[in-house]
Amino acid sequence: VLYKENVGTGTPTPVTPEMERVKRNQEICSSVLYKENIGKATPTPVTPEMERVKRNQEIISSVLYKENVGKVTPTPVTPEMERVKRNQEIISSVLYKENVGQATPTPITPEMERVKRNQEQISSVAYREGLGKATPSPVTPEMERVKRNQEQISSVLYKEHMAKGTPTPLTPEMERAKRNQENISSVLYSDSFRKQVQGKAAYVLDTPELRRVRESQKHISTVKYHEDFEKSKGSFTPVVTDPITERVKKNMQDFSDISYRGIQRRVVEMERKRVDQDQENLTG
């Protein structure tokens, strides 16, 4: 307190790159001097007894730490606390990324892949060697049920443990049962559709914007129709002429000529005159 009272008001100076360089050099020098003062030591092997003592010390430290923790009053996590926590995480992420310098990317070579795989295998072996002895616990019916549920959920394990099956022929009875199931499914689907969807329309408000769009679509359709009509006007579609088409065309032309020239009427009059002349010849 007295020290701080005697300190007067100072002028803050900005941290320049030169000051940063001097600070880093001082830290490096301190580290070098510290390592130079360390004498030579004789390495000792880590025995099982040392491992046991180390684990006991860690357990004791954990127990003592928990015993020294007093009782606290829990406070609810408010939205404001959640917001501050998220902001702190974002700020920490931004500051961490700002302090990361530029790096040179290196390609992943086959040798690096091989070393990575070897490290994973060594880690797996070391992990299994470090496992101690465990106390077996009986398998209860509840554990069996959970295990079966997990196996059914996992499709990978299900496929791996699938045994070989005996194929069965597809009999007419099986075909009939399959068709019946399909019919039942179709009937249930149709009933559900009729109850839920059929007869119910989706109501949409007729707003001025919808009316404007509808009128614009009508105008665009009319303009497009007239444009297509003007383009196709005066053109024709070629048709392949075959013997049947030629025969029909000739018959239609003959019918048209008969109707236009009145040939049918003259044929009827000539037939009537012939009949009258035959009657006169018979009576005369």
Side-chain angles (χ1 to χ4, degrees):
V1 176
L2 294 176
Y3 171 74
K4 292 182 180 180
E5 287 180 355
N6 295 328
V7 175
T9 304
T11 304
T13 57
V15 179
T16 60
E18 182 65 19
M19 294 172 67
E20 288 285 342
R21 186 183 64 80
V22 172
K23 184 177 179 181
R24 283 197 300 272
N25 291 339
Q26 289 293 329
E27 292 175 354
I28 294 169
C29 292
S30 299
S31 176
V32 171
L33 294 175
Y34 171 76
K35 292 180 180 179
E36 287 180 353
N37 294 328
I38 295 176
K40 295 181 179 180
T42 304
T44 57
V46 179
T47 60
E49 183 65 19
M50 294 172 67
E51 288 285 343
R52 185 182 64 79
V53 172
K54 184 178 179 182
R55 283 197 301 272
N56 291 338
Q57 288 294 329
E58 292 175 355
I59 294 170
I60 293 170
S61 299
S62 176
V63 172
L64 292 176
Y65 172 76
K66 292 180 180 179
E67 287 180 354
N68 293 327
V69 176
K71 295 182 179 179
V72 296
T73 304
T75 57
V77 180
T78 60
E80 182 65 18
M81 294 171 68
E82 288 286 342
R83 186 184 63 80
V84 172
K85 184 178 178 181
R86 285 196 299 272
N87 291 341
Q88 288 295 327
E89 291 175 355
I90 295 169
I91 292 170
S92 299
S93 176
V94 172
L95 293 176
Y96 172 74
K97 292 180 180 179
E98 286 180 354
N99 294 328
V100 176
Q102 295 181 353
T104 304
T106 58
I108 298 176
T109 60
E111 181 66 18
M112 294 172 67
E113 288 286 342
R114 185 183 65 80
V115 172
K116 184 178 179 181
R117 283 196 301 271
N118 291 340
Q119 288 294 328
E120 292 176 354
Q121 293 173 1
I122 293 170
S123 300
S124 176
V125 172
Y127 171 76
R128 293 179 181 176
E129 289 179 352
L131 289 175
K133 294 181 180 180
T135 304
S137 58
V139 179
T140 60
E142 182 66 18
M143 295 171 67
E144 287 287 343
R145 186 182 64 79
V146 173
K147 184 178 178 181
R148 284 196 300 271
N149 291 339
Q150 290 295 328
E151 291 176 355
Q152 291 173 0
I153 292 170
S154 178
S155 62
V156 176
L157 293 177
Y158 173 74
K159 292 179 180 179
E160 288 180 354
H161 293 92
M162 278 183 64
K164 293 182 179 179
T166 305
T168 58
L170 192 60
T171 60
E173 182 65 20
M174 294 172 67
E175 287 285 344
R176 184 183 64 80
K178 184 179 178 181
R179 285 196 300 271
N180 289 340
Q181 288 295 327
E182 292 176 355
N183 294 334
I184 292 170
S185 299
S186 177
V187 170
L188 294 176
Y189 172 77
S190 300
D191 290 342
S192 177
F193 174 78
R194 280 194 295 270
K195 291 178 182 178
Q196 298 180 8
V197 180
Q198 192 175 10
K200 297 181 181 179
Y203 297 97
V204 180
L205 296 177
D206 190 11
T207 60
E209 182 66 19
L210 284 173
R211 288 196 291 272
R212 184 185 65 79
V213 172
R214 188 164 57 246
E215 291 295 331
S216 300
Q217 289 294 330
K218 288 181 181 178
H219 294 325
I220 293 170
S221 300
T222 304
V223 172
K224 182 67 176 175
Y225 172 76
H226 285 290
E227 183 180 353
D228 295 339
F229 175 76
E230 292 295 333
K231 288 181 180 179
S232 61
K233 187 170 65 175
S235 60
F236 62 92
T237 303
V239 180
V240 179
T241 304
D242 54 351
I244 297 176
T245 306
E246 288 289 340
R247 182 176 61 79
V248 173
K249 183 178 178 182
K250 187 174 182 302
N251 291 338
M252 293 301 295
Q253 189 172 359
D254 293 340
F255 287 132
S256 299
D257 290 343
I258 291 171
S259 299
Y260 177 73
R261 296 176 184 177
I263 296 175
Q264 184 69 24
R265 186 173 60 255
R266 284 188 292 174
V267 169
V268 172
E269 290 178 357
M270 290 175 64
E271 184 65 25
R272 185 170 54 81
K273 288 180 181 180
R274 187 180 64 79
V275 171
D276 291 341
Q277 188 177 2
D278 292 339
Q279 289 292 335
E280 289 178 357
N281 291 334
L282 290 174
T283 57

